[in-house]
Amino acid sequence: MKIVVLDGYAANPGEFSWEPLQSLGECIIYDRTPKDKTFERAQNASVILTNKVVITREMIENLPDLKYIGVLATGYNVVDVEAATEYGIIITNIPAYSTESVAQMVFAHILNITQRVGLHAYRVRNGKWTESEDFCFWETPQQELYGKKIGIIGLGNTGSATARIAQAFGMQVFAYTSKTQEQLPKGIEKMEIDELFKECDIVSLHCPLTPSTKHMVNERRLNLMKESAILINTGRGPLVEEQALADALNARKIYAAGIDVLTQEPPIVGNPLFKATNCFITPHIAWATTSARQRLMNIAINNVKGYIEGKTGKEINCINQQNE
C-alpha cells in the first residue's frame, strides 16, 4: 500500500516520528506540495494525507488507486467530498484534537488586550520603570474580566471549552447556539446573535464556516457593539469581513480585536487589519501547541491503521461514510 503525505511539515516539523505511519506501507512524506505538483505526487497512492493541499474532483477522477484521504485537521473543505463519495473514497478528519489549545489562545488574546503584559515588559526592559517618578506605571487601561459579559458564537467543543474558562474568570457567559436553553450547561445563557453583539463586552467566534456564516461579522453587526468591546476570532478567517473590522477599529467603534485566522493564509501584503488600531494578529497557531499536534499525529495514524484493518465510520473519524 502506497501512502503519501502531501504537506506534513505544519503538523510535524520534526518533533515527532513518522515511523508508526511508515510501518503501515510504502510511505512518502513531503513537507509541502505546490499546487502544480499535487497530482504527480498523488499518483499510484492508495492513501493520501493532506492538511491544506486541495484535492479536487479532477484529481479524484484521475487517481484510480486512491481509496482514502486523511485530512490532517478538523475542517475538510480542502477535499471535494461529493466527488470522493461518488468514487467510494473514504475521507477522515481529526476532530477535537486542539480544543483546549484553541480555547487557551482565546484567552491569550483576551489577556493580552486587557493587560498588555508583553508591551509593559518591553517598556521595563527599555528603562521606563527605572525612569518612573512613581512606583508603577501603565500605558494601557488595565481591565478586569470578572463580571464582564462574553458572548460565544457556536457552542461546540471549542466554544464549550472557552465558556468553561470564562466561568473560571467569573465572567457572565452567553451563547448563540442551536442548542435549547435546557441543553446548555449551567451558567450559560442562550442569546440571539444581534443581541449578543450589542450586549457583550467580548465576542468570540467558534462556529463553522458556511455560506450563512461567511462575513457574519460585518459593518452592521460591528456597529451594534460597544465602543469598549473586544472581538476574538480563532475560528475561520472568512467569518469576519476584514475591511469592515479594520474600519470599525480605526474609527474606535470597538476597542480591540484578537485574530488568529485570516481570509487568505498566508495573507496578502496590505491586508487592512495589519495596520488597524488595536488589532492583534497571530499566524494561525491556536491549534499548534505541541500537545495538540501530538494528538493530531496519533489520531491521523490510528485512522489510517484502522482503515487498513477494515474499520469504518466513526471508528476512524470518517466523515462521508458514517456508520448508522
Side-chain angles (χ1 to χ4, degrees), residues 216-258:
M216 68 185 307
V217 180
N218 49 36
E219 181 181 6
R220 184 183 72 81
R221 288 208 171 105
L222 288 163
N223 284 336
L224 295 174
M225 299 179 76
K226 303 175 183 180
E227 290 185 3
S228 58
I230 296 167
L231 177 72
I232 305 293
N233 187 14
T234 57
R236 294 289 184 266
L239 296 174
V240 175
E241 190 176 350
E242 291 171 352
Q243 186 64 61
L245 176 58
D247 292 344
L249 289 165
N250 291 332
R252 305 299 200 274
K253 291 182 178 179
I254 69 170
Y255 178 66

Side-chain angles (χ1 to χ4, degrees), residues 27-226:
C27 188
I28 303 172
I29 298 164
Y30 297 100
D31 283 346
R32 303 171 185 86
T33 293
K35 184 177 180 180
D36 61 355
K37 294 285 186 182
T38 304
F39 182 72
E40 174 188 333
R41 292 181 176 181
Q43 285 289 316
N44 306 125
S46 298
V47 172
I48 288 175
L49 299 185
T50 178
N51 190 329
K52 293 293 183 286
V53 176
V54 175
I55 309 298
T56 65
R57 172 177 284 274
E58 183 181 6
M59 291 178 195
I60 288 168
E61 291 174 343
N62 290 281
L63 292 170
D65 296 315
L66 185 59
K67 305 299 180 188
Y68 175 103
I69 301 170
V71 181
L72 299 173
T74 302
Y76 43 85
N77 58 303
V78 296
V79 179
D80 189 319
V81 175
E82 182 180 359
T85 303
E86 286 177 20
Y87 281 82
I89 297 168
I90 285 177
I91 305 171
T92 66
N93 72 337
I94 319 290
Y97 73 94
S98 62
T99 296
E100 301 300 335
S101 294
V102 175
Q104 179 176 304
M105 178 61 85
V106 170
F107 276 87
H109 272 291
I110 291 172
L111 291 170
N112 170 61
I113 290 167
T114 56
Q115 298 198 275
R116 300 294 301 278
V117 171
L119 170 68
H120 288 93
Y122 176 80
R123 292 288 189 261
V124 169
R125 281 180 173 268
N126 282 272
K128 184 158 186 179
W129 199 10
T130 304
E131 298 165 358
S132 175
E133 294 181 342
D134 303 303
F135 74 93
C136 65
F137 73 94
W138 55 89
E139 295 191 355
T140 60
Q142 297 296 287
Q143 302 180 50
E144 184 174 82
L145 295 180
Y146 184 86
K148 282 193 164 36
K149 296 178 180 179
I150 183 169
I152 297 172
I153 298 179
L155 206 63
N157 291 320
T158 309
S160 296
T162 301
R164 187 185 69 244
I165 297 171
Q167 288 175 319
F169 273 102
M171 302 181 75
Q172 301 178 61
V173 181
F174 300 87
Y176 175 69
T177 173
S178 60
K179 297 180 175 70
T180 66
Q181 181 63 57
E182 291 70 29
Q183 292 173 312
L184 299 186
K186 183 180 178 180
I188 302 178
E189 183 175 334
K190 186 178 172 77
M191 184 178 277
E192 291 303 312
I193 188 167
D194 283 352
E195 184 183 5
L196 184 147
F197 274 90
K198 184 178 180 180
E199 295 295 330
C200 290
D201 302 293
I202 299 171
V203 174
S204 189
L205 308 181
H206 299 282
C207 57
L209 177 62
T210 66
S212 65
T213 62
K214 182 179 180 181
H215 289 176
M216 68 185 307
V217 180
N218 49 36
E219 181 181 6
R220 184 183 72 81
R221 288 208 171 105
L222 288 163
N223 284 336
L224 295 174
M225 299 179 76
K226 303 175 183 180

